Amino acid sequence: MKFIALIPARFQSTRFPGKPLAVLGGIPVIQWVYENAVQALDNVWVATDDDRIFNAVTSFGGKAVRTMSSHRSGTDRCAEAARLLEKETDFDIVINIQGDEPFIKAEQIKQLMACFDETTEIATLIKEIETTEELFNPNRPKVVLDDYQNALYFSRSPIPFVRGEKENSWLLANTFWAHIGMYAYRKEVLQKITQLSPGKLERVEALEQLRWLENGYRIKTAVTRFQSIGIDTPDDLQMAAEWLKK
């Protein structure tokens, strides 16, 4: 199977406008993401609707494709980019890499790639939850799995519920998994899921992957040991800069 990595990146952001071009360690955040991605595979593109991001990527030697500005999610932007790039490059699987995670590891991309056999439709990463604070943090989506490492459900609540145990003992009673928001899809599946209407569970939890489960798609998971730092605010950028100094 042939893989392509797409990095959706937009300039407008409520909490941090222009974050893909924010400078971290002397280079833009989007360059960090791109250069880490090409450590795993050669076919990497930034998908953006903004000329500033497009020009920044091509100026450091990266590949970029222009997409529409109307997309509501990175998944939708990747779907358009995949349609455009099918005309000039061959691929079976699309890897969606978030453009605001500068420390993404090549190992994680390769783990997603390894998930794909003849039956895999979608793949994503998970990481074991290590603290009670993380377990009960609604901004940290959780996932439960079947016996074949497929996702059964994602939630902002801690799942499963541990009956008869105090909350500070739950991690001793069960292994809990956090979802790492990085996906890979068969190219035809990516096009299909972006045509689906938002589902009931997705609207309640505000998690788009529930739309796919509601419509019968299977999501294979792979376990990563690494949690990247996402750049959502200027404070996150400062935190990442401090992390670089260590």
Side-chain angles (χ1 to χ4, degrees):
M1 287 179 283
K2 297 178 181 179
F3 295 82
I4 187 173
L6 299 177
I7 306 170
R10 64 190 183 100
F11 191 89
Q12 297 302 326
S13 170
T14 303
R15 290 185 290 177
F16 194 179
K19 63 182 179 180
L21 301 182
V23 176
L24 174 63
I27 65 174
V29 167
I30 194 67
Q31 186 173 349
W32 279 95
V33 181
Y34 188 95
E35 291 184 351
N36 285 329
V38 296
Q39 298 302 311
L41 71 164
D42 295 328
N43 202 7
V44 178
W45 296 73
V46 173
T48 184
D49 62 338
D50 190 273
D51 286 341
R52 290 162 290 189
I53 296 173
F54 184 96
N55 293 335
V57 173
T58 55
S59 70
F60 65 69
K63 294 179 288 191
V65 57
R66 285 186 172 87
T67 55
M68 296 184 297
S69 60
S70 56
H71 295 303
R72 301 184 63 182
S73 70
T75 308
D76 292 335
R77 193 175 304 282
C78 282
E80 184 197 358
R83 292 193 299 271
L84 295 170
L85 292 171
E86 268 193 311
K87 302 169 185 176
E88 58 182 279
T89 183
D90 187 24
F91 57 91
D92 306 295
I93 311 297
V94 176
I95 302 172
N96 179 350
I97 301 173
Q98 295 188 39
D100 58 4
E101 298 209 0
F103 305 128
I104 190 73
K105 289 189 175 294
E107 170 192 333
Q108 295 176 298
I109 298 171
K110 291 177 180 178
Q111 285 182 287
L112 279 179
M113 295 166 67
C115 285
F116 281 85
D117 56 22
E118 294 77 7
T119 63
T120 308
E121 297 175 316
I122 305 171
T124 195
L125 297 178
I126 60 174
K127 182 180 181 296
E128 185 174 350
I129 291 176
E130 299 176 351
T131 67
T132 299
E133 180 184 6
E134 181 183 16
L135 178 61
F136 288 90
N137 180 356
N139 295 317
R140 190 77 161 118
K142 273 69 69 173
V143 58
V144 287
L145 311 173
D146 66 15
D147 288 341
Y148 305 96
Q149 291 293 106
N150 295 309
L152 288 171
Y153 190 72
F154 296 85
S155 181
R156 296 186 182 279
S157 298
I159 50 174
F161 181 86
V162 182
R163 185 175 181 181
E165 295 285 346
K166 294 182 179 179
E167 291 182 352
N168 59 6
S169 299
W170 280 23
L171 291 179
L172 299 176
N174 186 66
T175 300
F176 292 85
W177 300 102
H179 179 224
I180 306 297
M182 182 176 168
Y183 298 102
Y185 337 75
R186 288 189 178 277
K187 64 180 181 181
E188 64 275 12
V189 170
L190 173 59
Q191 299 305 322
K192 290 177 181 178
I193 63 177
T194 54
Q195 299 302 313
L196 298 171
S197 299
K200 295 178 181 178
L201 297 174
E202 177 189 3
R203 288 193 290 266
V204 170
E205 295 261 20
L207 296 172
E208 70 169 336
Q209 62 269 35
L210 291 175
R211 184 190 319 182
W212 313 336
L213 291 181
E214 284 184 89
N215 283 274
Y217 288 95
R218 287 179 298 176
I219 304 177
K220 188 79 171 179
T221 67
V223 177
T224 180
R225 301 166 296 163
F226 182 74
Q227 172 62 54
S228 181
I229 298 174
I231 309 297
D232 291 320
T233 67
D235 287 343
D236 293 334
L237 184 68
Q238 182 60 40
M239 185 187 308
E242 292 299 323
W243 187 87
L244 274 180
K245 298 176 182 177
K246 295 179 180 180

